[in-house]
Amino acid sequence: MAADVVVPSEEILRHPAVDVVVIGAGAVGAACAYFAARAGLSVAVVERGAVASGTSSGGEGNILVSDKDAGPELDLALYSQSVWRNELSEHADRWEFDSKGGLVVAATEAQAQSLKRRAVRQREAGIDAIDVAKDDLRGYEPHLAPDLVAGVYYPQDAQVQPMLVAAHLLRLAREAGAVVHTRVSVTGFLRRGRPQERADVIGVRTTAGDIPSGCVVNAAGTWAGGVAALAGVDVPVLPRRGFVLVTEPLAGRVRHKVYAAGYVDDVESSDAGLQTSPVVEGTESGTILIGSSRERVGFDDTFSVRAISAIAAKAIALFPMLADAKAIRAYHGFRPYCPDHLPVIGPDPRAPGLWHACGHEGAGIGLAAGTGSLVARALTSDPTMPSLADFAPERFGAVA
């Protein structure tokens, strides 16, 4: 699959100037490249590893609205839902788009009341959120634990295979004229003007030569902060490690994405320590994916028995039948975390010509389509709605 989007790195040395260089070939970078190329811009993608070798290879592929409260991220999620289900619908089978719906469950009356209040706000913002009474929970999921109090069902929640998203969006971008360079690292920016810290960004310097461009989009995922630093600007994206456990095929045993109410609190938390909450969902192949964990440990790639044990125990409490299921593998990745829990999207006035599309944390796959579409529209001077103002990179520091 990856071979379909690879261009030999030596071709970079004679590559002409392009309108846009996209740094990163994960789902977000691929979406930016696809929509920019489709808008008629010439595009080059530069990726330090293989296609989807970063965060996009270490997650579950969630396209969620259920975990977002009213506000700018939810507005972006709803816009992204529209892009996935309309503009990209003809390609849905390529990345195994599964509109499975999500069920959030409460173990206590206090959690149930909190879920209901949240659902009211979400409905006012445009989400389809259906309150589920205790006696109706097993109609959605027959194998749920019997002592749960209530839930909320979100039919808009969906799932994709994230590596397929990145690979196919890049293939489609190439068909529209884009060039993709893998295993090439960005080492700096080409600049024009004085003083240097405000000099225009007019391309990238890489391990295989320079690529001049009209602008550069930083979609480098967990490495986006380091890329921004090469331009002398602060974008505080940090890695947040998470694990996923995969069971043997148990077809039909879990129908939706199911998670405990506490998951939302973990997503919104800024705690650096290990946090776990049960997230359980089936796949088309019959395997069950079990999460979730979050912890800020830098890029420590160590396998954590503690994290895996915790998410397994909590998943069994949610679905007791999992106690007899065999785990066949586990994997993990690093989510690009921003301290204010909002992604960074748009032009950076501190380094004119540099744009960002990063910091989506665990929502990156779901928000990729909307992010790519909005970036392409902004690059071609089309009005963007929702506005990118809430995601502006300069919120992390004054313009020099």
Side-chain angles (χ1 to χ4, degrees):
M1 183 195 317
D4 185 48
V5 296
V6 172
V7 172
S9 61
E10 59 267 20
E11 291 189 17
I12 248 180
L13 296 171
R14 54 183 182 273
H15 191 77
V18 294
D19 295 319
V20 185
V21 169
V22 177
I23 303 173
V28 173
C32 290
Y34 166 74
F35 283 104
R38 200 181 71 165
L41 300 174
S42 56
V43 178
V45 179
V46 180
E47 165 58 49
R48 59 182 279 176
V51 171
S53 57
T55 299
S56 294
S57 65
E60 298 164 275
N62 294 321
I63 301 177
L64 304 182
V65 295
S66 58
D67 62 342
K68 298 169 183 65
D69 212 330
E73 189 182 29
L74 177 55
D75 294 340
L76 177 59
L78 288 170
Y79 174 73
S80 201
Q81 281 265 339
S82 176
V83 176
W84 282 113
R85 295 177 182 274
N86 293 290
E87 293 177 65
L88 294 176
S89 61
E90 65 179 299
H91 308 296
D93 289 345
R94 300 177 188 269
W95 39 72
E96 300 176 6
F97 187 93
D98 183 4
S99 190
K100 64 174 64 175
L103 181 66
V104 187
V105 295
T108 67
E109 188 58 40
Q111 288 181 348
Q113 292 305 314
S114 179
L115 276 183
K116 287 181 179 180
R117 290 191 295 270
R118 184 185 184 90
V120 169
R121 297 191 298 270
Q122 291 172 321
R123 282 191 285 267
E124 291 173 348
I127 289 181
D128 189 3
I130 301 168
D131 292 333
V132 181
K134 174 182 175 68
D135 293 341
D136 296 328
L137 284 172
R138 287 201 165 192
Y140 287 86
E141 291 290 345
H143 299 286
L144 272 174
D147 55 349
L148 295 168
V149 172
V152 179
Y153 176 62
Y154 296 86
Q156 291 161 291
D157 280 358
Q159 184 184 35
V160 291
Q161 214 293 347
M163 297 181 74
L164 292 177
V165 167
H168 283 294
L169 283 177
L170 287 173
R171 180 184 58 77
L172 292 167
R174 284 190 66 202
E175 291 176 0
V179 181
V180 179
H181 307 279
T182 58
R183 306 194 187 284
V184 172
S185 296
V186 171
T187 59
F189 291 95
L190 305 180
R191 309 295 290 266
R192 177 180 60 206
R194 295 290 186 271
Q196 181 62 26
E197 61 267 19
R198 284 298 309 280
D200 291 350
V201 171
I202 57 170
V204 293
R205 180 146 287 164
T206 81
T207 51
D210 296 345
I211 312 177
S213 64
C215 66
V216 177
V217 178
N218 173 16
T222 49
W223 295 278
V227 169
L230 293 174
V233 298
D234 180 28
V235 175
V237 175
L238 301 170
R240 206 176 186 189
R241 189 175 69 184
F243 286 84
V244 177
L245 189 62
V246 186
T247 75
E248 62 183 322
L250 297 168
R253 303 296 290 275
V254 179
R255 299 173 178 177
H256 309 90
K257 180 181 182 70
V258 183
Y259 62 87
Y263 170 79
V264 173
D265 295 332
D266 285 353
V267 170
E268 295 176 348
S269 169
S270 298
D271 194 329
L274 176 64
Q275 298 169 296
T276 59
S277 53
V279 180
V280 182
E281 61 189 311
T283 66
E284 289 189 358
S285 66
T287 59
I288 294 175
L289 306 181
I290 299 173
S292 70
S293 68
R294 280 174 163 76
E295 55 187 330
R296 294 212 312 273
V297 292
F299 285 102
D300 183 353
D301 206 33
T302 305
F303 185 86
S304 174
V305 174
R306 178 187 173 210
I308 288 293
S309 299
I311 62 177
K314 291 182 178 181
I316 290 170
L318 198 60
F319 284 92
M321 58 88 179
L322 289 175
D324 298 321
K326 293 182 175 65
I328 59 174
R329 68 185 182 99
Y331 63 94
H332 65 282
F334 297 95
R335 305 178 184 97
Y337 160 89
C338 264
D340 63 0
H341 302 286
L342 288 177
V344 187
I345 308 170
D348 195 326
R350 302 168 298 177
L354 177 63
W355 291 57
H356 302 284
C358 56
H360 299 76
E361 201 181 337
I365 303 303
L367 299 180
T371 297
S373 174
L374 289 175
V375 166
R377 288 171 59 185
L379 286 171
T380 54
S381 300
D382 282 347
T384 58
M385 186 57 65
S387 168
L388 295 178
D390 289 302
F391 310 114
E394 64 267 28
R395 71 186 191 265
F396 297 114
V399 177

